[in-house]
Amino acid sequence: MIYLSPSPVLLLPSKTLRNHRNPNPKPLRFQRNSRLTDVLCKSENRIERGLEFDIGESFFRHESATGRDLGVLAAALYKKSKGELRILDAMCGCGIRSLRYLVEAEANFVLANDANDNYRRVILSNMSRVPRGSGNEKRWVVTHFDANRLMTDCYLQRDYFDLIDIDSFGSDSTFLRAALNALKLDGLLYITSTDGYTSGGHRPYHSLASYGAYVCPVPYSNEVGLRMLVGGAVREASVLGCHVRPLFSYYSYHGPVFRVMLQFNRGKLPNSRHYGFIAYCTGCGHSQTLSWDKLGGINCPCNEANVSVLGPLWTGPLHNDTYMSEMLNVAEQWGWIGGSGMGLDLEKLLRRMVDESDPALPPGYIHLDEVAKLAKVNSPPIMTMMGTIHKVDTY
């Protein structure tokens, strides 16, 4: 427990929003004659990658550290290539992502925003570990606005960002258009979904409303969740005459959490490349991709009539091989990989992403046990199977 100063703490709008007021202001004010229990706030310190921070009463998952690692690595690469990095953390929670972007990715400026102004004390406490600066040299600002309103205001003022991180909840996709509008060309957009029920195909009309994709149950629903998320962003970007491509896609079972880092650029995808449909045969387990003009001729080589069609969604690579290799190199330079624990897990993840970035790989997969069952043999160890595949260099 820690004590707060009895003097009033006022919410001041950032320079970006100097002409606007919070539509639901809830300034944190503590009266001098308040009882002791009124000025006590919960404090709980954690450490992540050597940075100590307070989570207070904010929603926080330590399991999401890997997603934060990936975001920081991508941001650091962007800063190295562009020389400048301005970040908007639209739903910052306790502010640990914003703090890590400042310290580890060496961002020039971070706007840490969370609509819940009850988190202000803990966000300021964490961000203050980096000197705020002043004037044009200001390193960070904390605001409390609805994320869509904030990003729309940034767009109207032509205040664009190099990276926008939106750690949203559920399958809320309403922020996509506003985020793309507030993003610089060639900038990065880090988006989230935590709706495993919808990605599992149990609410197809919900996925249709949120991401424009009809999704039904398939064995690789986690992959479908990522492709659905990317596809929704592809659709929104095309309306603006632009396109996005995934640099990496990450699924974690806790939550579950689907996170995708997208790169935004002008120009639509040629002939809707990589934006189409996946057909899954419930008889033999075969999956295939379909373009829009092939929807009328769907069939499976096994002649099974029961074929499920999902989409439209992203059907291309979920990772960029060059970017993933560079992220792996940065992680090695920083000493984040190797050894045991988090280092070993991150190394395995990055190397697996490099392997999965092969554009020749089709969407979906078949469980090895299912193949063995059809062949009436025992399943070989997964490492033996992978070693044989790499030896013959064919997929």
Side-chain angles (χ1 to χ4, degrees):
M1 307 287 282
I2 64 172
Y3 291 87
L4 290 181
S5 168
S7 59
V9 181
L10 301 178
L11 300 183
L12 299 177
S14 69
K15 181 179 179 181
T16 304
L17 296 167
R18 59 184 178 274
N19 297 322
H20 298 271
R21 295 181 180 274
N22 191 329
N24 298 297
K26 296 179 182 178
L28 302 174
R29 295 179 182 273
F30 300 91
Q31 304 299 325
R32 295 183 184 277
N33 59 356
S34 297
R35 298 191 321 176
L36 179 62
T37 54
D38 293 332
V39 297
L40 291 175
C41 284
K42 182 180 179 181
S43 177
E44 187 175 347
N45 286 352
R46 303 287 182 92
I47 296 178
E48 188 169 294
R49 293 294 181 191
L51 289 173
E52 185 177 358
F53 61 99
D54 181 9
I55 66 172
E57 295 184 341
S58 65
F59 180 78
F60 175 80
R61 280 197 177 113
H62 69 87
E63 298 93 343
S64 297
T66 300
R68 291 187 284 270
D69 285 346
L70 296 173
V72 168
L73 290 171
L77 281 177
Y78 185 96
K79 172 68 182 295
K80 181 180 179 181
S81 64
K82 303 292 184 179
E84 183 180 359
L85 179 60
R86 299 181 74 252
I87 295 178
L88 167 57
D89 190 356
M91 302 175 184
C92 70
C94 67
I96 179 56
R97 285 192 311 277
S98 298
L99 178 62
R100 292 189 60 182
Y101 282 135
L102 282 169
V103 175
E104 297 168 332
E106 299 180 351
N108 301 85
F109 174 78
V110 172
L111 173 52
N113 177 78
D114 196 281
N116 190 341
D117 50 25
N118 291 325
Y119 296 165
R120 184 169 183 82
R121 178 201 62 83
V122 71
I123 298 172
L124 288 173
S125 173
N126 292 329
M127 298 295 286
S128 64
R129 300 179 188 278
V130 175
R132 186 197 299 261
S134 60
N136 294 331
E137 302 300 320
K138 187 170 290 187
R139 294 288 310 281
W140 55 268
V141 166
V142 176
T143 58
H144 302 281
F145 291 88
D146 171 79
N148 273 323
R149 183 188 172 195
L150 174 64
M151 292 185 290
T152 299
D153 190 85
C154 291
Y155 164 69
L156 292 175
Q157 295 190 39
R158 298 186 179 182
D159 186 14
Y160 302 110
F161 291 85
D162 299 290
L163 188 155
I164 297 179
D165 188 325
I166 306 176
D167 190 15
S168 57
F169 180 78
S171 54
D172 183 7
S173 61
T174 58
F175 55 80
L176 283 173
R177 183 78 60 86
L180 292 171
N181 278 328
L183 193 62
K184 290 182 180 178
L185 290 176
D186 208 34
L188 307 182
L189 177 60
Y190 201 15
I191 56 177
T192 313
S193 170
T194 61
D195 191 351
Y197 197 69
T198 296
S199 67
H202 304 295
R203 294 191 295 181
Y205 292 101
H206 188 81
S207 63
L208 189 62
S210 296
Y211 302 105
Y214 187 91
V215 174
C216 48
V218 293
Y220 44 90
S221 59
N222 299 336
E223 179 182 335
V224 167
L226 294 169
R227 295 188 178 280
M228 179 180 68
L229 185 57
V230 177
V234 168
R235 183 183 64 164
E236 291 294 333
S238 66
V239 175
L240 302 175
C242 300
H243 70 273
V244 295
R245 61 169 183 142
L247 297 180
F248 67 78
S249 307
Y250 171 65
Y251 165 81
S252 179
Y253 66 89
H254 76 274
V257 176
F258 304 85
R259 297 228 66 181
V260 177
M261 182 68 80
L262 302 166
Q263 189 169 39
F264 175 65
N265 262 306
R266 195 184 303 279
K268 295 184 179 182
L269 287 172
N271 299 322
S272 299
R273 185 167 176 259
H274 298 321
Y275 184 62
F277 300 84
I278 296 176
Y280 170 74
C281 178
T282 57
C284 69
H286 175 68
S287 296
Q288 57 183 311
T289 58
L290 299 168
S291 58
W292 293 77
D293 58 333
K294 301 297 182 182
L295 287 177
I298 300 174
N299 58 67
C300 181
C302 74
N303 295 318
E304 170 67 44
N306 194 8
V307 177
S308 300
V309 179
L310 299 75
L313 36 67
W314 178 257
T315 59
L318 288 171
H319 321 290
N320 178 279
D321 57 347
T322 302
Y323 214 85
M324 292 311 309
S325 297
E326 292 177 351
M327 286 175 60
L328 180 61
N329 290 336
V330 172
E332 289 177 338
Q333 294 169 14
W334 289 358
W336 281 12
I337 63 176
S340 59
M342 285 184 61
L344 180 60
D345 292 341
L346 182 61
E347 181 176 9
K348 286 182 177 179
L349 175 64
L350 290 172
R351 294 193 185 280
R352 187 179 303 121
M353 286 177 165
V354 172
D355 291 340
E356 292 176 347
S357 61
D358 186 345
L361 289 175
Y365 56 82
I366 300 177
H367 286 288
L368 187 58
D369 289 344
E370 291 295 322
V371 177
K373 182 179 179 181
L374 291 172
K376 298 181 180 181
V377 298
N378 293 327
S379 299
I382 186 65
M383 295 308 297
T384 301
M385 191 73 175
M386 292 298 296
T388 303
I389 291 175
H390 284 296
K391 186 180 296 184
V392 299
D393 194 27
T394 183
Y395 290 89

